[in-house]
Amino acid sequence: MSNKKRLDRREFITRSGKMVGGLALLGGAISGYGKQAASMPAYAIRPPGALPEEDFLGACIRCGICVKDCPYDILHLAQWQEEVALGTPYFIARDIPCEMCEKIYCVRNCPTGALDRLMENIEKSRMGVAVLVDQETCLNMLGLRCDICYRVCPVLDKAITLERFHNPRTKSHTLFVPTVHSDSCTGCGKCEYACPLPIAAIKVLPESLAKGQAGEHYRLGWKEKEKRGGALVTPDIEHQYNLPEGFQYDLLGEGLIAPQKQGGQ
Amino acid sequence: MPRVPIGRAAVEKKGWFRANRWLLLRRTSQLLIIALFLIGPLAFVEWSDDAEEKIWLIKGSLASNVVLDTVPLSDPFIYLQTLLSGQAFEQTVLIGALIVTLFYLLVGGRVYCSWVCPMNIVTDSAGWLRRKLGLKKKCELSPNLRFWVLGLVMVMALVAGNLLWELVNPVTLLQRGLLYGMGAGWMVVAALFLYDLLWSRNGWCGHLCPMGAFYSLLGRLSLVRVRAVDREACNDCMDCFVVCPEPQVIRPALKGEDGVSPLIDESLCTNCGRCIDICGPEVFRFGGRFNK
Ligand code: SF4
Ligand code: SF4
Ligand code: SF4
Ligand code: SF4
Ligand code: SF4
């Protein structure tokens, strides 16, 4: 073998080595970056009917048809400097919430199925879940009647209800606590958008952040009872008071009633 | 040795317009495609009292779109990634990708590069400017590197289960940015421009871009090809080698050593027609693969 050939071969090997090394570096860098980019920031919300995030990132071809189809210009394709995966559609509730239009225009022409094209009822969509994140600043929690989130919610009186509690500060008023029900909340963001505080006290979060999970073996006694139509273990017995002689107990009225002294008056 | 400026001979012989004909047509095509996307809805049709439909000429972006709200067109390069990531078995995008694939199989895959892709305008401008400034630095990378990058892109999609390349792809970034807003994406495009200008001739499109590599694979058997029909007339001015984005494809057909046919039968040729424009003696012409 001539010297030149041997040199060529050596050069070939070093060159290929460099190339493979370079490619591995590139691949590693992109994968690392990809991990970061694949985690959606909590303020960003996908359009209705979107696949779970990992699948969505594989399916969405970044065409922007959904953006063009939304009549309210809610959606936006992520740009280079933004935290959301490049080119994918999202919206920020506090800037502009989803109008939950009946026709769900945004999903209809999605070519890849990244959005569920067959979705029929916008109230079934789960873009996220609203959470009353700040109970210290929410006006209703302070005892006022703001109620704005309750009133703007498109799933009125289902996704948010106002639950009444005793106001422990005034001792004589009621708190109307905005309470979100995740089985009805679509995550449209109307409540977050409308909250009058400089920073919203109610925010739409991804379900993974917003929800806890009950233990699998947990059973709620009162629900089980309702299901069965009666007590599950021993039959219910009426409550009995064990009181000293002559005492009475008035549950809804005065409470404990001492016996009247006889003859002393 | 002072060289006759590139293209002078062609302009003198054929006039400025014919010496730039294909270039002008290509730029028109590239800009027109962007413009068509930007037009927006053409008409509003009222089907009934409550339903108003917008009719678009073309809606979406080069990644995927619908023409006249009926025909889907999808980029097979991105679609292949979604397939490998285990997603998007939807019919629409499949049909769209097939139509586009078929088209480029016929006309030559890299017609995408020279007639459609807007990044081509950026890199061509960098190439033009570096010629004007007389910058000489060549690209040290192998022109085959892009096929390895293409492989890497596909492997990443397969392994990661999502479109990793599309998180950084500067080409779709530009294509999408022109239609939906660039934001800081301009910096990426500017970086590519500077890379091509200062670092290496045709560094991006000619060596690295996996999309160009993908489309060149589609162009293996294309029917439309450039032919060095009149290669005897070549006076070795070398202008075509200077302006061609893939100069290595010209030599076999032009020099015709060992009886090689005058057909530029290289899938890396972008069918841009710049060699046709620039050649004074009019050696090249577009032709069919099977033309005599
Ligand atoms: S549901 Fe309607 S308003 Fe909401 S993002 Fe989709 S198209 Fe826009
Ligand atoms: S229409 Fe579908 S594929 Fe296109 S950007 Fe929207 S979600 Fe992604
Ligand atoms: S996000 Fe807010 S407004 Fe929208 S459905 Fe849920 S609770 Fe109602
Ligand atoms: S709109 Fe805001 S401040 Fe008002 S009740 Fe709802 S969360 Fe509280
Ligand atoms: S090589 Fe890539 S960037 Fe260059 S024109 Fe082709 S697709 Fe566009």
Side-chain angles (χ1 to χ4, degrees):
Chain A
M1 201 192 292
S2 75
N3 231 345
K4 182 162 185 320
K5 250 197 181 149
R6 201 171 299 141
L7 261 182
D8 278 356
R9 175 183 293 177
R10 181 183 296 164
E11 194 186 315
F12 175 76
I13 291 174
T14 41
R15 284 189 73 157
S16 328
K18 268 190 205 162
M19 192 158 81
V20 171
L23 282 172
L25 260 174
L26 180 68
I30 296 174
S31 317
Y33 172 71
K35 284 233 174 61
Q36 223 183 341
S39 52
M40 275 271 275
Y43 60 77
I45 307 174
R46 292 284 180 219
L51 291 173
E53 187 62 15
E54 324 81 85
D55 295 339
F56 185 83
L57 286 177
C60 170
I61 202 165
R62 284 84 160 145
C63 66
I65 292 179
C66 51
V67 175
K68 294 280 181 212
D69 273 345
C70 171
Y72 302 99
D73 282 336
I74 308 291
L75 303 171
H76 164 84
L77 292 186
Q79 299 174 354
W80 182 256
Q81 75 282 9
E82 291 164 12
E83 289 179 290
V84 179
L86 185 63
T88 56
Y90 73 100
F91 67 95
I92 297 177
R94 191 65 170 169
D95 293 346
I96 183 166
C98 167
E99 291 292 330
M100 283 178 61
C101 56
E102 223 171 287
K103 293 245 166 73
I104 331 179
Y105 293 101
C106 54
V107 307
R108 294 288 170 245
N109 292 311
C110 174
T112 59
L115 307 178
D116 177 8
R117 294 202 291 191
L118 303 177
M119 184 178 208
E120 298 222 319
N121 182 356
I122 185 69
E123 294 199 3
K124 292 261 154 60
S125 76
R126 291 292 174 267
M127 298 172 260
V129 181
V131 181
L132 185 68
V133 285
D134 193 353
Q135 311 199 344
E136 293 171 334
T137 50
C138 167
L139 299 172
N140 272 28
M141 291 300 284
L142 295 174
L144 305 170
R145 290 301 301 273
C146 158
D147 295 2
I148 289 180
C149 54
Y150 168 78
R151 275 182 281 121
V152 297
C153 176
V155 197
L156 187 61
D157 208 31
K158 285 198 208 122
I160 302 184
T161 55
L162 294 175
E163 301 295 323
R164 296 156 185 230
F165 290 94
H166 178 64
N167 184 337
R169 181 176 57 83
T170 64
K171 302 212 173 53
S172 52
H173 298 91
T174 308
L175 293 181
F176 292 81
V177 176
T179 306
V180 178
H181 303 276
S182 60
D183 53 357
S184 301
C185 171
T186 63
C188 70
K190 284 254 158 189
C191 52
E192 178 177 344
Y193 180 73
C195 177
L197 301 178
I199 295 175
I202 189 164
K203 293 192 169 93
V204 175
L205 298 178
E207 205 181 277
S208 58
L209 290 183
K211 290 288 291 170
Q213 189 187 23
E216 238 174 79
H217 58 286
Y218 286 16
R219 296 289 177 274
L220 303 178
W222 58 95
K223 288 212 167 140
E224 299 295 324
K225 191 166 149 187
E226 204 178 309
K227 241 193 268 167
R228 186 170 176 271
L232 292 143
V233 223
T234 42
D236 280 340
I237 14 171
E238 206 168 318
H239 185 77
Q240 288 176 354
Y241 296 103
N242 249 334
L243 299 171
E245 187 133 355
F247 279 77
Q248 285 176 307
Y249 194 85
D250 180 6
L251 180 64
L252 299 171
E254 293 174 51
L256 194 66
I257 304 166
Q260 303 284 317
K261 286 261 164 60
Q262 299 285 320
Q265 283 162 327
Chain B
M1 176 194 76
R3 196 179 183 289
V4 183
I6 300 144
R8 167 77 56 86
V11 174
E12 273 166 13
K13 173 117 190 281
K14 309 191 277 192
W16 186 86
F17 183 74
R18 277 194 58 222
N20 288 286
R21 177 166 60 167
W22 293 108
L23 181 66
L24 292 171
L25 281 173
R26 285 197 307 118
R27 292 292 177 257
T28 312
S29 153
Q30 287 163 325
L31 297 173
L32 194 67
I33 288 170
I34 301 293
L36 290 182
F37 279 113
L38 286 174
I39 288 177
L42 283 186
F44 296 82
V45 181
E46 285 193 23
W47 298 119
S48 63
D49 288 343
D50 62 331
E52 188 195 61
E53 296 282 326
K54 293 178 190 169
I55 302 291
W56 294 65
L57 187 59
I58 187 164
K59 180 168 63 187
S61 67
L62 284 171
S64 194
N65 53 65
V66 264
V67 180
L68 291 171
D69 291 289
T70 35
V71 185
L73 298 175
S74 304
D75 186 316
F77 169 76
I78 316 180
Y79 179 59
L80 189 59
Q81 291 177 65
T82 70
L83 270 189
L84 288 172
S85 75
Q87 298 290 341
F89 301 99
E90 282 277 329
Q91 206 180 346
T92 316
V93 66
L94 173 68
I95 294 173
L98 285 179
I99 296 175
V100 172
T101 306
L102 202 67
F103 175 74
Y104 286 111
L105 280 175
L106 292 178
V107 300
R110 292 203 74 199
V111 162
Y112 178 79
C113 292
S114 54
W115 292 80
V116 179
C117 179
M119 187 60 96
N120 171 266
I121 304 180
V122 175
T123 57
D124 271 1
S125 315
W128 175 83
L129 190 59
R130 78 179 348 253
R131 281 201 296 278
K132 286 276 164 227
L133 299 176
L135 301 174
K136 285 273 147 30
K137 198 163 180 336
K138 282 244 174 73
C139 185
E140 280 156 13
L141 302 167
S142 151
N144 286 330
L145 183 57
R146 57 188 128 180
F147 293 101
W148 291 91
V149 179
L150 174 62
L152 178 74
V153 168
M154 295 305 163
V155 169
M156 284 194 307
L158 183 70
V159 174
N162 76 54
L163 311 187
L164 281 186
W165 180 250
E166 294 310 311
L167 299 176
V168 294
N169 187 350
V171 185
T172 44
L173 175 142
L174 175 64
Q175 297 175 347
R176 191 174 46 240
L178 290 170
L179 307 177
Y180 295 91
M182 286 291 283
W186 284 117
M187 295 194 310
V188 180
V189 179
L192 267 191
F193 178 83
L194 290 176
Y195 170 71
D196 261 26
L197 176 67
L198 304 173
W199 234 280
S200 56
R201 171 169 139 82
N202 297 323
W204 175 254
C205 291
H207 299 80
L208 288 169
C209 177
M211 246 169 138
F214 175 86
Y215 278 99
S216 91
L217 293 179
L218 287 189
R220 281 273 135 126
L221 305 170
S222 95
L223 297 181
V224 183
R225 295 265 70 148
V226 175
R227 305 172 72 88
V229 267
D230 203 5
R231 62 188 174 194
E232 286 76 25
C234 170
N235 58 17
D236 285 318
C237 74
M238 304 302 271
D239 278 1
C240 56
F241 287 93
V242 177
V243 295
C244 177
E246 305 282 347
Q248 73 275 22
V249 305
I250 295 181
R251 181 171 301 278
L254 181 61
K255 293 302 157 198
E257 286 137 11
D258 308 326
V260 177
S261 113
L263 180 77
I264 298 189
D265 194 13
E266 299 268 351
S267 58
L268 284 174
C269 167
T270 66
N271 276 2
C272 70
R274 196 70 188 119
C275 51
I276 307 178
D277 281 347
I278 211 75
C279 181
E282 301 189 63
V283 167
F284 301 96
R285 199 163 300 158
F286 270 123
R289 161 174 298 272
F290 305 110
N291 281 10
K292 276 279 133 50

